[in-house]
Amino acid sequence: MAGGKGTRIAEVNPEVPKPMIEICGKPILLHQINVLKEQGFKDITLIIGHLGKIIEDYFGDGSNFGVDIKYIREDVPLGTAGALFYLKDEIRDDFLLINGDIIFDIDIKRFLDFHKKFGGMATIFTHPNNHPYDSGIIIAGDNHKVTGWLHKEDERKWYKNRVNAGLHILSPEVLAQFTEPRKTDLDRDILKKLINTGGLTCYDSPEYVRDMGTPDRYKQVTRDMDTGLVKKKNLSNKQEAVFIDRDGTINKYAGFLRDIDDFQLIDGVAEFIINANAAGKLVVVITNQPVIARGDISWGELSEIHNKMETLLGEKGAYVDDIFICPHHPDKGFEGERPEYKIDCACRKPKPGLLMLAAEKYNIDLAESIMIGDSDADIAAGEAAGCAAFKIRRDERWAETIPAKYTSTLRQ
């Protein structure tokens, strides 16, 4: 979808359409096409409108770039989806729909495999970002089905930092909603309507996807492209992670934390996570939560506590990529306990099970990763997984206690 004007980014280059703005000497669209071509996707349709002839003159039929390009030309702007009407007689298989103003490098096969396994009529690529407070928030259940979609203007309090990134896999059945070429909003008019039928799925990934919506974001993407961060974040490559304990390390220690009002961030933790985010490290929370086994709180209440954590971090420009939880506790005989969680498991720290699960999910190089926590169990779990591990003083501003050897790559 390459037909937008890009009014907020026009000051970078008002003479070309937004997808033709250059990053490191190449148009955004060319970066996108190169990622697609490298992974075997060469049949490309460009929807063009504003200054579209510039795009068509540059790419032609795509043969000079090793791909096959067709065009849909919008003489009258049809919003973010209206021109899909012209594809309804052309498309017979699931297809990838891409916003033309984003820089990305993702493992497309992994995305497609997920869509085939869990997807309904559409799967959207979601990720955390450093400005969730002014982004649309996607709400989904454990089955990956989208249950809610909060736009920027919608009221929200505590929320998971899960943002629609502008990459979608759609089935041809979606095109049946288009009966004429009229102005249509993809999110509000098409995708949100699939929620009630269970037809919309979200694929969470920490890979690099960033839009060019503002000059500041444009500058950030340029830096990330220069340093190789964009390609590094593709999950086909080995990742480096910062594993972080929760209680006493991210939030002030409150014993068995049951009340969401008792959750408070420790000074300095957001700044450290921001540096890890900027350096391309995965930030993964590894936490024992025996409050589930004890029956002190429900899974829903625990999720709301974590939503508060993600909201507070997001307000400061920080995000975590995932949270791995051990709900078990081996000791039995307490009133209200949940017997199904009273087991000697492989995931409760000091055992390394959660770190191993994270490594498998995200292709993490454990030898190049670190574990940070406030207890001996945290350190033992990290070391057992093959990570460097650092014990910090509970509830204190701790970012400065990590040796420079392990933080030198983080932007200060």
Side-chain angles (χ1 to χ4, degrees), residues 14 40 61 93 144 177 189 196 216 311 314 335 338 341 362 382 401:
D61 64 2
D93 291 313
H144 310 289
Q177 298 184 57
D189 299 330
N196 290 337
D216 284 344
T311 303
E335 183 179 356
R338 301 176 66 176
Y341 295 115
Y362 293 121
T401 70

Side-chain angles (χ1 to χ4, degrees), residues 7 27 40 47 104 123 138 157 163 190 204 248 273 344 356 361:
T7 52
I47 299 172
F104 69 92
T123 302
I138 305 299
K157 188 175 182 182
V163 176
I190 303 300
D204 290 329
I273 292 174
D344 185 9
M356 306 304 285
K361 182 175 181 179

Side-chain angles (χ1 to χ4, degrees), residues 294-331:
R294 290 164 55 93
D296 292 338
I297 63 174
S298 67
W299 278 106
E301 291 168 321
L302 181 60
S303 293
E304 192 68 0
I305 290 170
H306 288 153
N307 288 348
K308 180 177 181 180
M309 176 182 73
E310 295 204 42
T311 303
L312 295 177
L313 289 172
E315 288 172 351
K316 295 177 178 293
Y319 59 86
V320 298
D321 292 289
D322 208 341
I323 304 169
F324 286 77
I325 302 163
C326 171
H328 306 112
H329 197 280
D331 297 340

Side-chain angles (χ1 to χ4, degrees), residues 88-159:
K88 61 185 305 181
D89 295 327
E90 304 275 340
I91 298 292
R92 294 292 178 266
D93 291 313
D94 294 345
F95 63 99
L96 184 64
L97 182 65
I98 304 171
N99 291 0
D101 62 348
I102 58 175
I103 286 291
F104 69 92
D105 198 329
I106 71 165
D107 186 337
I108 300 172
K109 183 179 183 302
R110 183 188 286 245
F111 186 19
L112 184 58
D113 288 346
F114 178 93
H115 170 74
K116 290 178 177 178
K117 182 176 181 180
F118 297 104
M121 292 177 68
T123 302
I124 57 176
F125 186 107
T126 56
H127 64 162
N129 73 13
N130 60 2
H131 54 99
Y133 45 82
D134 68 354
S135 301
I137 297 295
I138 305 299
I139 303 168
D142 292 337
N143 62 355
H144 310 289
K145 296 296 182 183
V146 177
T147 59
W149 192 316
L150 299 176
H151 295 285
K152 289 186 286 187
E153 67 273 16
D154 294 331
E155 184 177 352
R156 59 180 82 171
K157 188 175 182 182
W158 310 127
Y159 50 85

